[in-house]
Structure formats: C-alpha cells, structure tokens
C-alpha cells in the first residue's frame, strides 16, 4: 500500500517546491534570466538523458520516482522559458479592444506559438527516447502536464473566476487581455469530468497492480493528474491559490510588514486573485 500512498505525497512536494522555485526565478530581475535559462538548459539536457537512461529499468519504485522527476524537469524548462519571455510567440501585444472571439483566439495562439512548438518537439523527443521501454513515466507525466495545461489555458480564455495575473511578469502582462473573468464556462465541467474519470482509471490500476513498479508509476501519474484537477477547481472557486506559494514570492519587506500588522497568511474568499 505504501507504493500507492507515498507517491502522491512526493508528487505534492515536488509540485509545490518546483512551482515556488519557478516563481522566485521569474520574479527576479530580468538580468538574471539568462543565468536561470542557462541552468535550466543544462537541467533539460540532463533530464532528457535521464529519461532515456532510466527507461529500461522498471524493477523498483525508485525507478518510477526517478523517471517522474525527469519528466517534471523537462516540463519546468518550458514553463521558465515561457514566463521569462525567451520562448513565447510572434504576438507580443495586447488583444485589440472589441476583437471577435475567433480573432482573439487566433491572436492568443500567437502569444505562445513558439512555446507550443517546443512543447511538441520535447514530447516527440521523449517518445523516441523511451520507445519500447518498460519505464515511460517521464513521458506519461509530461503528457499529463501538457494536456491539463492546454485545458487550463482554454478555460481561462473562455472565462474563469480566478487567474493569478500578478504571476505574469511585467513583460507578459499583456496576456491578461486575452483572458476572461467569469463565474462559469461550458468547457470547465467537461475538463474536470473527463480528467477525473481518467484519474480514477489510473488509480484503479495503481491499487490493483501486483508489480511494485507499476503501483508506484501509476500512483505518481495519478497524483500529478489529481493536482492538475485541483488547479482547475482553483480557477473557479473564490480562493486565492497564490497564497500557497506566498513563502516563495513574499519579499522580506512584505513579510515584516505583515508580521508587524499581525496578519496571518490566509486564503481570501474574494474573486480577484
């Protein structure tokens, strides 16, 4: 049973920590971006090599954990390259006022076109590197992150209650003009229902598997999908999800001011992120 219970805890800690580190790097001065991207480039190469190296090994939970970390590391490179502006798209301006929905969608695609092409390229690379091998956890977690990120983007385009616009650095603030703030959109129930069904199937596989590697691998993929589903709900619920990473994003001056005022870190019930 440990092979089913421990992976979600590991995935949760890795998700929380890696998101926090990315926020710290993105909120740093722009002059540091080149160094951050250089370090992440080395990590990307190491993660791709690691995903191929570990792919023939599927004997223990440790093999699943390593592959999982490599998959998350590959995805982290894409996140940082986009948020720092190194790899975005040809459209770098706010959406024109009154633009028709189809035009707004086309322009929105243009804001991240190069990023999306890079995501596809890395996905195909992982497919080739792990082809025919028993340990493809890196590929599966990468595909989960890709699919759920696209789902989240479409939901934000159609309209959600919450999106953390303050997470966008100044050079990407124009992206807010492509998003809508609404209490509900027609895609959201489909997104959470389909992903929940898939998560349930993976969980059943994890619980019913006799092989310890399969249990751990399935539980890790399930955990990442579950976290993505939770992130979807955070888009709609009147909660400030950004508070989860306040420890990383709060400056020393802000922390001192908050402590002096006796204000705790709380989740607001307001609709503005």
């Amino acid at each position: 049973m440990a092979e089913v219970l421990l992976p979600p805890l590991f995935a949760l800690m890795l998700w929380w920590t890696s998101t926090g580190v990315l926020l710290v790097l993105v909120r740093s001065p722009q002059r540091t971006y080149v160094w951050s991207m250089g370090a992440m480039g080395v990590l990307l190469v190491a993660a791709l090599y690691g995903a191929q190296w570990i792919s023939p090994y599927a004997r223990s939970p440790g093999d699943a954990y390593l592959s999982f970390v490599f998959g998350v590391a590959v995805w982290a490179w894409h996140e940082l390259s986009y948020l720092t502006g190194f790899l975005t798209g040809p459209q770098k301006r706010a959406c024109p006022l009154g633009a028709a929905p189809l035009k707004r969608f086309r322009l929105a695609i243009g804001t991240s076109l190069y990023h999306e092409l890079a995501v596809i390229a890395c996905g195909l690379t992982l497919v080739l590197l792990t082809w025919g091998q028993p340990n493809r956890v890196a590929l599966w977690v990468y595909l989960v992150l890709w699919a759920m990120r696209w789902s989240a983007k479409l939901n934000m385009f159609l309209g959600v209650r919450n999106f953390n616009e303050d997470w966008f650095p100044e050079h990407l603030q124009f992206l807010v003009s492509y998003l809508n703030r609404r209490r509900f959109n027609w895609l959201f129930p489909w997104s959470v229902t389909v992903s929940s069904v898939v998560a349930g199937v993976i969980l059943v596989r994890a619980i019913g598997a006799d092989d310890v590697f399969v249990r751990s691998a399935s539980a890790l993929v399930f955990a990442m999908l579950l976290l993505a589903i939770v992130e979807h709900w955070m888009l709609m619920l009147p909660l400030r999800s950004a508070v989860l990473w306040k420890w990383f994003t709060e400056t020393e001056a802000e922390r001192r001011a908050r402590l002096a005022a006796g204000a705790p870190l709380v989740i607001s019930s307001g609709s503005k992120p």
Side-chain angles (χ1 to χ4, degrees):
M1 187 57 69
E3 291 85 2
V4 176
L5 296 179
L6 291 180
L9 296 176
F10 178 81
L12 175 63
M13 290 304 301
L14 182 62
W15 167 76
W16 180 76
T17 304
S18 59
T19 301
V21 170
L22 285 175
L23 287 174
V24 169
L25 294 177
V26 171
R27 291 166 68 93
S28 299
Q30 286 194 346
R31 65 178 181 274
T32 65
Y33 285 0
V34 64
W35 299 104
S36 299
M37 284 304 303
M40 286 297 293
V42 173
L43 181 63
L44 172 66
V45 174
L48 289 172
Y49 174 80
Q52 181 185 36
W53 167 74
I54 199 65
S55 62
Y57 302 99
R59 296 187 295 266
S60 69
D63 297 333
Y65 281 88
L66 274 176
S67 188
F68 179 82
V69 171
F70 293 142
V72 172
V74 173
W75 185 259
W77 180 88
H78 290 289
E79 290 283 6
L80 187 64
S81 66
Y82 182 71
L83 291 174
T84 55
F86 271 75
L87 198 61
T88 55
Q91 178 64 19
K92 300 182 183 297
R93 296 181 180 180
C95 183
L97 292 175
L102 286 179
K103 180 179 181 180
R104 187 165 66 91
F105 182 76
R106 176 175 58 80
L107 293 175
I109 293 293
T111 64
S112 60
L113 180 62
Y114 306 146
H115 164 78
E116 298 299 343
L117 292 176
V119 170
I120 293 173
C122 266
L124 293 175
T125 300
L126 281 172
V127 169
L128 294 175
L129 291 177
T130 61
W131 187 266
Q133 299 297 335
N135 186 349
R136 308 182 80 186
V137 176
L139 173 62
W140 300 133
V141 70
Y142 183 89
L143 293 178
V144 164
L145 290 167
W146 183 8
M148 295 303 285
R149 176 49 58 88
W150 250 106
S151 174
K153 284 183 176 181
L154 289 173
N155 273 279
M156 288 189 291
F157 176 82
L158 294 173
V160 296
R161 184 191 292 259
N162 287 317
F163 50 83
N164 293 307
E165 58 202 50
D166 52 329
W167 280 11
F168 293 131
E170 185 176 351
H171 60 275
L172 292 181
Q173 280 294 319
F174 70 91
L175 293 174
V176 177
S177 65
Y178 294 92
L179 309 179
N180 276 315
R181 196 179 298 281
R182 294 174 181 165
R183 291 183 178 273
F184 189 76
N185 72 71
W186 63 266
L187 179 62
F188 180 76
W190 288 99
S191 297
V192 296
T193 299
V194 172
S195 55
S196 296
V197 170
V198 174
V201 172
I202 298 173
L203 179 60
V204 169
R205 174 179 170 81
I207 295 175
D210 295 326
D211 185 270
V212 292
F213 169 80
V214 174
R215 281 202 298 270
S216 296
S218 300
L220 285 166
V221 176
F222 160 78
M224 186 55 71
L225 181 52
L226 180 62
L227 288 170
I229 295 171
V230 171
E231 285 188 326
H232 272 61
W233 279 106
M234 287 179 176
L235 294 174
M236 285 299 184
L237 295 176
L239 302 173
R240 290 192 65 188
S241 60
V243 74
L244 297 174
W245 292 276
K246 194 72 171 178
W247 178 263
F248 293 93
T249 60
E250 190 177 41
T251 64
E252 184 62 27
E254 291 172 338
R255 186 177 294 112
R256 288 178 179 176
R258 175 175 57 80
L259 293 175
L265 279 176
V266 297
I267 297 180
S268 169
S269 60
S271 61
K272 184 175 178 59

